[in-house]
Amino acid sequence: MKVFLNYNLVYMNQEMSPLNDKEEVKRLKIQLELEKEHIEQLEKLLNHDPDTGLLQKHVLIQRMRRFIKQKPMGFAYAIIRLDRSYQRIKYTRDRMKVLLYVTSERIKEIVGEKNLYQSDRSDEFLIILPGITNKEKIKRIITRITQKIKEYHNPPASDITFGCHVGVAVFPDHAQQLEDLQINTEIALGIYEHKREQGFIYSPEIGEIYHQKEALESILLKCVQQGFQGFHLVYQPIVNSQNKILGCEALLRWDAPGHGAVPPTQFIPMAEHSGSIHFLGHWVLYHAMNQVKTWRHEMGMDIFVSINVSPIQLESQKFVGIVRDILESLELPGEAIHLEVTESSVMEEPDMIIDKLKQLQSLGIRIMLDDFGTGYSSLSYLNQFPIDTLKIPKEFIDDFPNNPQSMDMVRAILSLARNFGFNTLAEGVELKEQFDSLIAEGCKYIQGFLFSRPIDATDLEELFQKQKSETQPEP
Ligand code: C2E
Ligand code: CA
C-alpha cells in the first residue's frame, strides 16, 4: 500500500487489504501522523531561520502580497539593521547567535512573534505592523524597539551594546505595489544610515533627496574618473600663541558641473559610499604634499600640511605604502605631514589602526585626532594610540569661554592631553576672546576664521611671505 500525502490530503491506493481491518487502520493512522510531523519539520526548516527561529523573508513577502491584493487594511513595513558597533563585535559564531536571538526576542516583545521576520542578512530584521499607518504611532513603536535593542546584554556579553538604523514605508500611503514599498523602505533606511541617524519613515521628500544624491554621486564618480574634474584644495593656516603660522590644514573643494560648489560634508560621504574616496584621497595626499614641498623650498620655512584621512582610506591595506611612496617620490621629510584621523575610525579596529599609525609615525609623520570628544573613545585605548595632537572641535569652542559647560569640556580635554602627553589644537576659533582664553588655558595651536578662512595656495603663500619679511631683521 502507498500513502501519498499532500498537506491534509491523503490518497490511499487500495489494491489490497480490507479497510475494516482494524490493525491496518491503526497502522495507517500512525504512519499518517509521522508523515504529518515530517512535513511540519520540513516546513519549519524551509520557513524559519535556523539561528533565530524567526520566519523568513519569503513568508513575509507572501503575507504582504496577500494584504496588498486583498486590500483589507493598510500596514507599515520596516527594516531594522543593526549598526556598525554590532559588526565590530568579535565573538564566536555561537555567541553571535545568542546575541541575535536575544535581540529578536526583544523586538518580539514589542511587535509580537508573528510580525517579526528574519531578513536575508543576518544583521537585519523585518517587521510588519498590520493595520498601523499612523506615523506618530509607528514612530512610538520604532522608538521603543530602538531603545530596547540598545539595552545591555546579560553576562557574559554584559559589556556589549549596539544600536540600529530603521527604515519604514507605509502601504498604501508610500507605495501601491510591493516592490515600490520595499524600495522606499530601503531608501528611508539608506538615507538615515548614511546620516548615521536612526531613521525612520519614508516621505516623498526623502525619495527626492535620495534620487538627487544618486545623481550627484554618479557625477562625482565621473569627475574622479575624468582626471579629478572640478576638484581643488584650499588651505587654512594653523597658528601658535604668537599668531605665527606653523602649517595649515588642506581642505578639499569640489565644483560639480551643473551644480556649483558642493560642500565636503556632502561629497566626502558620497565618495566613501562609492569607494572613489581611495582615488580622491590619494589625489589629495599627493597635491597637498607637493604643495608643502614647494612652500618649504621657496621660502626655506619648516611648514607642515595637515591632511584629512577618511576611515575608509585608513582601513585599506595599501594606505601606509601610498603615503610612503609619495613622501619618497617628493623627497619630503615625514615631519612636513600631519594626518588627521577621526576618533570613530581609530576606535573601529583599534589594534589594526594602532599598528598603521605607528608605521606612519616611524616615517616622521605626526598624527592628529580630529573632532576629539564627539565620538566614542575608550580612555584605555587612547593611552595606547600613537597620537601627537588632539583637535578640539568647533562645537566645543563655539560657546567658549562664556558657557561654563564648554569651559569645563575644553579644560577637561586640555588636562587629559597634558596627562597623556598630547599637543592640543583648537579649531573654529572666531573670536579674539576665544583665542586669548584658549592660550591662557594652555592650548598650543589655533585654527579658525579669526586668523584666516581656508584660502588658495597662492594667498597662503603671501601670508607666509609677509610673516617671513616681518621676522627677518632689518638690513
Ligand atoms: P574638519 O576636518 O573638521 O575641517 C574643519 C572644517 O571647519 C572646515 O570645513 C573648515 O572650513 C571649517 N572651519 C575652520 N575654522 C572655522 C571657523 O572659525 N568657523 C567656521 N564656521 N568654520 C570653520 P570644510 O572645509 O567645509 O570641511 C568640512 C569637513 O569635510 C572637514 O571637517 C573634513 O571632515 C571634511 N574634509 C574636507 N576636506 C577633506 C579631505 O581632503 N579628505 C577628507 N577625508 N575629508 C575632508
Ligand atoms: Ca580636519
Side-chain angles (χ1 to χ4, degrees):
M1 170 173 168
K2 289 179 197 159
V3 178
F4 298 100
L5 198 129
N6 184 1
Y7 290 80
N8 306 323
L9 228 66
V10 181
Y11 299 97
M12 281 177 284
N13 185 358
Q14 307 170 16
E15 334 152 321
M16 37 46 120
S17 60
L19 268 181
N20 56 9
D21 180 343
K22 279 188 183 164
E23 277 306 303
E24 185 61 8
V25 170
K26 206 170 152 194
R27 197 182 65 77
L28 274 173
K29 271 187 177 165
I30 292 170
Q31 191 170 349
L32 194 62
E33 279 308 310
L34 283 174
E35 294 274 355
K36 257 185 171 173
E37 248 176 54
H38 214 94
I39 283 177
E40 273 166 18
Q41 277 172 2
L42 213 67
E43 233 189 347
K44 210 166 176 185
L45 270 179
L46 283 175
N47 293 336
H48 289 76
D49 182 85
D51 291 345
T52 53
L54 293 177
L55 280 165
Q56 286 182 335
K57 183 176 177 179
H58 65 264
V59 184
L60 172 64
I61 299 290
Q62 282 167 12
R63 192 171 167 207
M64 288 200 289
R65 229 182 258 295
R66 250 190 344 265
F67 277 177
I68 289 174
K69 199 168 166 200
Q70 297 163 359
K71 293 194 175 67
M73 61 191 157
F75 63 87
Y77 166 58
I79 305 176
I80 300 170
R81 186 172 294 166
L82 304 181
D83 66 14
R84 284 167 83 94
S85 2
Y86 173 77
Q87 322 290 346
R88 288 205 298 267
I89 301 170
K90 299 266 180 298
Y91 256 8
T92 58
R93 198 174 135 62
D94 282 349
R95 284 234 199 137
M96 289 308 273
K97 273 190 202 171
V98 174
L99 280 184
L100 264 189
Y101 177 76
V102 172
T103 307
S104 72
E105 288 295 305
R106 289 176 178 186
I107 308 175
K108 250 187 230 172
E109 266 179 43
I110 297 163
V111 300
E113 184 167 5
K114 69 176 192 317
N115 294 327
L116 176 64
Y117 296 79
Q118 182 68 50
S119 156
D120 301 333
R121 294 170 56 135
S122 65
D123 60 349
E124 200 175 87
F125 298 98
L126 307 172
I127 58 173
I128 180 170
L129 302 172
I132 300 180
T133 55
N134 177 291
K135 314 283 177 311
E136 289 311 311
K137 201 164 176 189
I138 296 171
K139 269 190 193 162
R140 279 200 296 276
I141 296 172
I142 299 297
T143 306
R144 278 177 63 205
I145 294 176
T146 53
Q147 283 168 352
K148 194 88 193 144
I149 289 180
K150 259 195 227 145
E151 284 175 11
Y152 277 91
H153 289 253
N154 288 330
S158 48
D159 56 339
I160 281 189
T161 171
F162 48 86
C164 63
H165 300 278
V166 184
V168 187
V170 175
F171 172 83
D173 307 25
H174 301 140
Q176 314 290 318
Q177 308 285 334
L178 179 59
E179 285 67 25
D180 293 339
L181 187 75
Q182 287 178 280
I183 290 171
N184 290 346
T185 312
E186 288 278 355
I187 288 176
L189 176 74
I191 289 283
Y192 289 116
E193 202 174 25
H194 192 70
K195 288 189 184 169
R196 303 205 171 185
E197 285 174 18
Q198 276 179 345
F200 343 106
I201 304 181
Y202 178 85
S203 66
E205 293 76 43
I206 283 185
E208 183 58 27
I209 294 173
Y210 175 82
H211 292 297
Q212 279 176 3
K213 200 174 89 43
E214 285 260 286
L216 201 59
E217 196 169 313
S218 72
I219 298 175
L220 178 86
L221 196 61
K222 220 189 249 164
C223 285
V224 170
Q225 285 164 346
Q226 292 172 351
F228 302 96
Q229 199 189 342
F231 290 99
H232 75 281
L233 286 172
V234 288
Y235 300 87
Q236 187 175 31
I238 293 171
V239 299
N240 66 7
S241 59
Q242 313 296 312
N243 262 331
K244 181 180 177 213
I245 312 173
L246 305 174
C248 58
E249 178 176 4
L251 293 158
L252 189 56
R253 297 288 177 263
W254 181 42
D255 283 316
H259 285 260
V262 181
T265 44
Q266 202 177 333
F267 72 77
I268 297 280
M270 286 179 186
E272 289 176 336
H273 186 245
S274 67
S276 58
I277 191 70
H278 292 290
F279 306 104
L280 207 48
H282 196 148
W283 185 89
V284 170
L285 282 167
Y286 178 78
H287 284 268
M289 283 155 86
N290 197 27
Q291 182 60 62
V292 81
K293 178 186 169 168
T294 310
W295 283 329
R296 285 167 79 99
H297 269 242
E298 283 179 2
M299 281 169 296
M301 294 164 84
D302 289 340
I303 304 151
F304 68 83
V305 68
S306 192
I307 304 168
N308 290 286
V309 178
S310 148
I312 313 275
Q313 282 174 278
L314 201 58
E315 268 170 26
S316 158
Q317 301 283 348
K318 297 184 186 157
F319 184 69
V320 177
I322 288 174
V323 176
R324 188 188 293 119
D325 288 350
I326 304 177
L327 272 184
E328 282 173 9
S329 71
L330 293 173
E331 295 178 10
L332 194 62
E335 78 225 26
I337 307 303
H338 291 199
L339 293 180
E340 300 195 9
V341 297
T342 62
E343 202 178 5
S344 52
S345 74
V346 292
M347 285 301 158
E348 218 135 271
E349 287 277 357
D351 297 326
M352 189 256 285
I353 302 294
I354 286 174
D355 186 50
K356 278 189 188 163
L357 296 184
K358 280 187 176 158
Q359 290 182 49
L360 291 163
Q361 269 189 337
S362 72
L363 301 172
I365 292 172
R366 311 277 154 79
I367 306 297
M368 294 213 196
L369 197 56
D370 215 355
D371 292 336
F372 179 73
T374 54
Y376 156 82
S377 259
S378 151
L379 283 188
S380 58
Y381 263 117
L382 199 61
N383 206 6
Q384 297 172 40
F385 273 118
I387 295 163
D388 299 281
T389 307
L390 294 184
K391 280 193 100 165
I392 310 173
K394 182 177 176 303
E395 57 188 275
F396 297 150
I397 303 299
D398 280 342
D399 298 331
F400 176 86
N402 298 324
N403 178 326
Q405 267 176 326
S406 304
M407 177 58 106
D408 287 349
M409 193 66 190
V410 171
R411 278 190 175 150
I413 297 178
L414 291 172
S415 122
L416 186 133
R418 256 192 304 276
N419 290 336
F420 284 3
F422 302 144
N423 286 323
T424 38
L425 186 158
E427 62 183 345
V429 178
E430 295 182 347
L431 307 170
K432 177 81 172 65
E433 189 188 11
Q434 292 169 333
F435 182 96
D436 291 342
S437 302
L438 282 160
I439 297 299
E441 293 291 334
C443 183
K444 194 159 177 198
Y445 307 119
I446 305 286
Q447 180 184 349
F449 289 1
L450 175 69
F451 188 85
S452 167
R453 286 176 177 261
I455 49 180
D456 287 338
T458 45
D459 293 337
L460 184 52
E461 194 171 322
E462 269 179 34
L463 288 184
F464 282 134
Q465 295 287 11
K466 196 165 155 243
Q467 179 170 296
K468 203 175 161 191
S469 63
E470 280 168 5
T471 51
Q472 263 167 5
E474 295 279 326

